[in-house]
Amino acid sequence: MSCAATAIFDLVPCLKRHSTTTTINHLPLPKPFVRFRFSYSPSSASFSVGPLYSTPANSRSRCFNGSRSFYCTALKSQPSASLGAQTNTTSEEERVVVLVIGGGGREHALCYALQRSPSCDAVFCAPGNAGISNSGNATCISDLDILDSAAVISFCRKWDVGLVVVGPEAPLVSGLVNDLVKAGIPAFGPSAEAAALEGSKNFMKNLCDKYGIPTAKYKTFTDPSAAKQYIQEQGAPIVIKADGLAAGKGVVVAMTVEEAYEAVDSMLVKGIFGSAGCRIIVEECLEGEEASFFALVDGENAIALESAQDHKRVGDGDTGPNTGGMGAYSPAPILTEELQSLVMKSIILPTVKGMDAEGCKFVGVLYAGLMIEKKSGLPKLIEYNVRFGDPECQVLMVRLESDLAQVLLAACRGELSGVSLSWSPGSAMVVVMASNGYPGAYEKGTVIRNLEDAEHVAPCVKIFHAGTAQDSDGNFIAVGGRVLGVTAKGSDLVEARDRAYQAVDEINWHGGFCRRDIGWRALPQKQFATKG
C-alpha cells in the first residue's frame, strides 16, 4: 500500500524587507497570494503541482519577517496538474502584478492603495525608498534605472508585471510609457507627446487658446528685454514661469515690477533652471483661491476623482516662497458639486478632446491646478500636471475604496466610461514635514525617530515617506527637501487635522519643520494647530 504525501505552501506577501536593499536577484515570487499544493506519489514516483485556491483578499495573511508559512496535510483525491500547467482558481477576477515607477511620497501612497486592491497580487516599486520598503507596501527595486526603458521592460517580462504605474514627470516626458505600450505592457500614464501638457507650459497655453479653455492671459518670451517691456506694460503683481520642468520651483509670483525683472534675469540670463527656463511664460496674476482637480482619462473618457486642495507656500498663512506642496486636505469645500461639474465641462473634457484632435490621445491623470477667481467665482486653469499630485495623492489614496489596480487597467484599455469610484466618508489631511532650509539649501542626514509610535498615536494615521533613507544603524534619515507626509483620516476636517498633528508632534526630528495651519481656509474660525 502506497501513501501519497502532500505539502501546501502559502506564498504570502513578505513585503516588509530587511534593512538592506532588496535586489532583483532576491525578489519574492511575483504572485504571492496563490496557495499551491505539491504532491508526491511513491507508486508512480512522480511529482505534481497545482494551485489549490486563491486566498480571499479579506483573509490575506501578512508575513513580516521574510519567512513563508508551511503546512503539511493529508488530502483525499484532490485533482492536480502537471508541473508548469495552468489551472483556474476559484476566483474569476483578473489578477495583476503592478510596478510603480518613482520613489517619493506620491509613489508611497500609490503603493499603499495598490496593496489594498483585491485584484493586485504583488506591488513592486522602482526605485522606491526606505520608508516604502519598511512599511511593507511594496518590494523596492533600488537598482532598476527607471529612465532605461529596456531595463524596465526586461524587469516587467521577468516578473510577469501586468500594469506599470508611472508616478514622476521625468520618465513620462522621456517616453517610458511609449516604450512600454509598444512592448505590449499596460502602462498608466501619458505618452511623451501627451506629457507635453506638463513638460511645456507654452504647449498647454496654446492648447487652451485653440480649444477655448479658460486660463490666465499670457505671452511667451525667449528675449529678456521683450519680457521686461511686457511686464512694464502689464504692471505687478505678475507671474513668471519657466516653460519646462523645474521640480515645482519654476514659478515666481512677483509682487513688484523689480521682482519680475529679477525672475526674468534668473531664468533667461543666469539660466538657473537650465534648458527648462530658456523660454518663459509671463501671465496675469489671478486673484482667488487655488484648488486641485484630478481626473482619470482613457484617451476619450474622463472621470473625476475626489476634490483636494494643497498649500504651495512654505510658511503659515500662505507666506514665503512656493514649494512642491506643504500639505493638503480632501475634500475641498471650495470645489462644490456644481463647480466640479463646470470644471469637467469647461476644462477637462475640452482638453481630452483637444489632445485627441491634435493626434496625441491622453491616458493617465490630468491634474488641473485651478484658480477660483474671487471676482467671478469661476474656475480658470493655472497649469496642468500629468500625474497624481504630491501631496494631494496621499489624501486621495487613503480615502479611495475602489480597486485601484482595476481602475487604472480600465483607463489603459479605454474602458473608463462604465467605471465609478467609491470614497470613504469624512475628510483626510496630510502635513508635509520638510528639512530645515527647504525650499532653499537644506541639511541632509539628520536622524528621524519615533515614526512607528507616531503612526499609532491616533486612529487612521499613515505616514508616507518621500525623502528618507536608512543609516548603518537602521535609523531613518532625511535625504530630501520634503521628507514625510503625515496623513490622517477623520469624520471631518477638524478630526483629521487633530490626528495628523498629533502624529507630527510624536515624531522626534530636530532637523525638520512643518506648517502648523494646513487646512486653514476650510477650518472653522481658521484654526491653527499649535504644538503641544
Side-chain angles (χ1 to χ4, degrees):
M1 178 179 177
S2 63
C3 179
T6 302
I8 298 174
F9 291 84
D10 273 338
L11 305 184
V12 296
C14 303
L15 293 174
K16 188 167 185 179
R17 300 286 142 205
H18 301 294
S19 60
T20 55
T21 302
T22 302
T23 64
I24 294 179
N25 293 329
H26 296 89
L27 294 179
L29 291 173
K31 292 190 176 181
F33 298 128
V34 181
R35 175 172 285 188
F36 283 87
R37 182 184 66 259
F38 295 83
S39 300
Y40 171 68
S41 174
S43 61
S44 60
S46 65
F47 290 90
S48 63
V49 59
L52 184 62
Y53 58 86
S54 292
T55 308
N58 60 6
S59 65
R60 292 177 185 166
S61 57
R62 292 178 183 167
C63 149
F64 296 104
N65 59 5
S67 63
R68 289 192 177 92
S69 303
F70 176 83
Y71 300 89
C72 195
T73 184
L75 300 177
K76 294 183 180 179
S77 64
Q78 296 196 30
S80 62
S82 300
L83 187 62
Q86 298 287 329
T87 61
N88 292 328
T89 62
T90 56
S91 172
E92 295 182 0
E93 185 181 49
E94 180 181 13
R95 316 293 303 172
V96 64
V97 176
V98 183
L99 170 63
V100 175
I101 299 293
R106 167 185 50 234
E107 288 75 36
H108 192 175
L110 290 170
C111 289
Y112 169 77
L114 287 163
Q115 186 204 20
R116 292 160 52 223
S117 294
S119 67
C120 189
D121 270 349
V123 184
F124 296 120
C125 187
N129 63 45
I132 295 173
S133 178
N134 279 267
S135 69
N137 295 135
T139 299
C140 293
I141 318 300
S142 63
D143 51 357
L144 180 58
D145 184 355
I146 62 174
L147 296 178
D148 183 346
S149 294
V152 175
I153 291 168
S154 177
F155 179 88
C156 292
R157 287 174 173 162
K158 180 175 181 179
W159 294 102
D160 196 23
V161 171
L163 173 65
V164 177
V165 181
V166 184
E169 63 271 26
L172 292 171
V173 173
S174 69
L176 177 59
V177 169
N178 302 57
D179 296 332
L180 287 166
V181 171
K182 186 176 179 180
I185 299 169
F188 180 78
S191 65
E193 296 78 14
L197 271 176
E198 177 174 359
S200 170
K201 294 178 179 63
N202 184 59
F203 175 88
M204 184 273 288
K205 287 287 194 175
N206 287 339
L207 189 85
C208 289
D209 278 350
K210 188 172 182 178
Y211 294 97
I213 299 164
T215 188
K217 183 176 70 173
Y218 76 101
K219 278 195 174 182
T220 303
F221 298 94
T222 57
D223 176 56
S225 298
K228 290 177 181 179
Q229 183 178 346
Y230 180 74
I231 290 167
Q232 188 175 28
E233 293 169 358
Q234 299 300 313
I238 199 163
V239 181
I240 317 299
K241 296 180 177 180
D243 177 54
L245 299 175
K249 300 175 184 178
V251 178
V252 174
V253 181
M255 302 309 295
T256 66
V257 169
E258 289 72 23
E259 286 180 12
Y261 288 171
E262 289 176 9
V264 170
D265 286 339
S266 68
M267 296 181 195
L268 291 182
V269 179
K270 298 177 183 177
I272 63 169
F273 297 122
S275 60
C278 65
R279 180 167 56 184
I280 64 170
I281 310 297
V282 180
E283 68 177 28
E284 69 172 314
C285 185
L286 300 175
E287 185 181 1
E289 190 167 345
E290 291 188 46
S292 305
F293 189 93
F294 297 86
L296 300 181
V297 181
D298 68 3
E300 296 180 358
N301 307 292
I303 57 173
L305 302 182
E306 266 284 12
S307 63
Q309 189 165 11
D310 99 346
H311 301 256
K312 289 293 185 189
R313 301 280 188 156
V314 72
D316 287 355
D318 293 334
T319 58
N322 275 328
T323 71
M326 294 300 296
Y329 56 93
S330 174
I334 186 71
L335 282 171
T336 63
E337 287 188 13
E338 294 77 14
L339 201 53
Q340 290 183 64
S341 177
L342 179 60
V343 171
M344 285 294 289
K345 181 180 179 181
S346 65
I347 297 175
I348 300 296
L349 291 177
T351 300
V352 174
K353 292 177 181 177
M355 292 294 285
D356 189 12
E358 295 297 315
C360 47
K361 281 191 175 185
F362 187 94
V363 175
V365 175
L366 268 182
Y367 163 15
L370 304 175
M371 180 66 76
I372 313 303
E373 280 201 287
K374 185 176 181 179
K375 56 185 177 182
S376 68
L378 298 177
K380 282 190 175 180
L381 179 65
I382 300 173
E383 63 181 9
Y384 268 130
N385 288 339
V386 296
R387 56 205 159 86
F388 286 99
D390 186 348
E392 296 96 331
C393 186
Q394 287 84 315
V395 290
L396 292 174
M397 291 303 104
V398 297
R399 292 193 59 213
L400 182 67
E401 294 184 338
S402 300
D403 186 323
L404 180 62
Q406 290 303 309
V407 171
L408 300 187
L409 277 172
C412 294
R413 296 165 178 166
E415 298 172 354
L416 278 181
S417 59
V419 172
S420 60
L421 300 175
S422 177
W423 303 90
S424 65
S427 298
M429 178 181 287
V430 56
V431 178
V432 170
M433 299 190 74
S435 296
N436 288 337
Y438 176 81
Y442 53 84
E443 184 181 359
K444 294 183 180 181
T446 54
V447 176
I448 308 167
R449 305 186 190 278
N450 288 4
L451 289 176
E452 187 172 347
D453 291 341
E455 275 203 327
H456 294 93
V457 73
C460 303
V461 172
K462 174 67 178 177
I463 297 175
F464 295 111
H465 290 240
T468 64
Q470 283 184 295
D471 63 17
S472 57
D473 296 322
N475 298 311
F476 282 108
I477 59 173
V479 295
R482 294 186 300 158
V483 177
L484 301 170
V486 183
T487 310
K489 290 197 298 181
S491 58
D492 55 25
L493 189 57
V494 171
E495 186 172 55
R497 186 275 316 270
D498 289 346
R499 289 173 173 177
Y501 279 106
Q502 268 187 277
V504 166
D505 293 339
E506 193 71 21
I507 296 171
N508 182 359
W509 181 27
H510 297 297
F513 75 99
C514 68
R515 281 182 58 164
R516 307 299 305 186
D517 66 340
I518 301 304
W520 71 272
R521 291 180 182 274
L523 288 166
Q525 301 174 356
K526 298 183 179 178
Q527 301 173 49
F528 281 60
T530 57
K531 186 171 183 176

